[in-house]
Amino acid sequence: MREIVVSGIRPTGNLHLGNYFGAVRSFVQMQETHDCYFFIADWHSLTTSPKPENIVRSAETILAEYLACGIDPEKATIYVQSDVKEVLELYLFLNMNAYLGELERCTTFKEKARKQPDNVNAGLLTYPTLMAADILIHKAVKVPVGKDQEQNMEMARKFARRFNTMYGVEFFPEPQNYTLSERAVKIPGLDGSGKMGKSEGNCIYLYEDEASIKKKVMKAVTDSGPTVPNSEKPEVIQNLFTFLEIVSTKETYDYFNEKWNDCSIRYGDLKKQLAADIAAFNAPIRERIAEYSANRQLLRRIAEEGAEKARESARRTIEEVRQIIGFR
Ligand code: TYM
């Protein structure tokens, strides 16, 4: 039996390089060897945007982008979270065994509560239980996510363990975060703010063309340049090199690294090269995004078929969960 994998992305905007290198790249690889469920977390997006302009269209956008990145509906089950209502029942059960204190202590909750003080809603507080429900509904063992999801993953394991202990069963596996590389991936922003993220407003999106990428990359924060050979790179410079590492050739990386080491680096040259390499990386994906986005009928069919498969798996789990809790 193949191992079960689940992961999702919120449809609060388009896919950016952080999403791609933190998560989607793993999806594409894992679909070859695992039993994968990749969804669009539209319910989760309501925790920050309770009045979405067009949530159906936003989900379709991510679906088109998933497909453009190479996620294949023949290999993986692709669906929209809100099409699988079984998740809600599991969310409810998990919430009965989730405690206010531990939910309030989550850093993502604290951060969001700080950012939207007028809307510290219960959905935000129970974000980790809904995420755990997404994962446990298929009894997944691996979850490809970026570094920013580590705490949510810890919570998911905690809820799985607690359910098993509470009802004296060995039912839910404890899902593990999965990364292709040794370390969890954190794609930086180019504005010196740390992580690339939609709420940070510093994203380079997969749909972007060379001109708009160049504009963003040329604005990347740098310093006045190295003065001591072979010195350690400050964070903003390391960030540029992290990008070179993921989108450029090894020769390009080595070239600029040498220039850094002998203090002859010109950031303008590095940025030009980086912008060109990101644009080249984007180009084929960008083309396919346009193709898939134009074919809404196909998108709908894929979403319907995916939902059917996801519901089948979800139904099996929720029926057993009901039995375990005592709804016979
Ligand atoms: P979301 O929508 O914020 O991000 C989707 C995925 O992209 C990764 N990511 C990054 N990785 C590395 N560097 C970055 N700068 C970066 N920005 C985003 C995220 O780690 C994530 O893997 N809670 C989830 C959605 C979710 C989910 C789930 C995920 C809901 N239920 C169940 C897995 C399993 C989220 O908000 O991701």
Side-chain angles (χ1 to χ4, degrees), residues 7 14 16 20 24 31 40 74 83 108 111 117 157 175 201 213-214 218 254 279 286 290 294 317:
S7 196
N14 295 81
H16 53 74
Y20 184 84
V24 178
Q31 68 181 352
I40 295 150
E74 300 287 323
D83 280 335
T108 38
E111 257 168 44
R157 284 190 286 277
I213 293 168
K214 198 164 173 195
M218 295 316 280
D254 290 346
R286 188 179 136 69
T317 306

Side-chain angles (χ1 to χ4, degrees), residues 8 10 18-19 22 44 127 131 134 145-146 148-149 185 187 196:
R10 282 171 301 139
N19 296 137
H44 269 114
Y127 189 112
M131 180 154 158
D134 292 326
V145 281
D148 58 320
Q149 298 297 314
V185 180
I187 302 301
M196 179 179 291

Side-chain angles (χ1 to χ4, degrees), residues 27 36 53 64 66 98-99 115 117 168 171 175 187 218 234 267 285 321:
F27 299 0
C36 294
E53 215 162 275
Y66 269 178
Y99 303 112
K115 269 191 200 146
F171 185 67
I187 302 301
M218 295 316 280
Y267 293 136
I285 300 180
V321 168

Side-chain angles (χ1 to χ4, degrees), residues 197-245:
K198 275 164 248 176
S199 39
E200 283 74 12
N202 61 0
C203 295
I204 296 178
Y205 295 98
L206 294 175
Y207 70 77
E208 284 188 88
D209 66 9
E210 180 148 14
S212 77
I213 293 168
K214 198 164 173 195
K215 237 198 223 155
K216 289 184 180 176
V217 174
M218 295 316 280
K219 275 202 296 213
V221 176
T222 51
D223 60 7
S224 52
T227 47
V228 181
N230 302 312
S231 52
E232 203 182 311
K233 299 183 184 84
E235 192 182 350
V236 285
I237 304 305
Q238 180 51 49
N239 288 348
L240 288 171
F241 277 87
T242 300
F243 276 98
L244 285 180
E245 222 174 323

Side-chain angles (χ1 to χ4, degrees), residues 94 129 139 185 194 221 278 290 294:
L94 295 176
T129 48
K139 300 177 80 172
V185 180
V221 176
I278 294 175

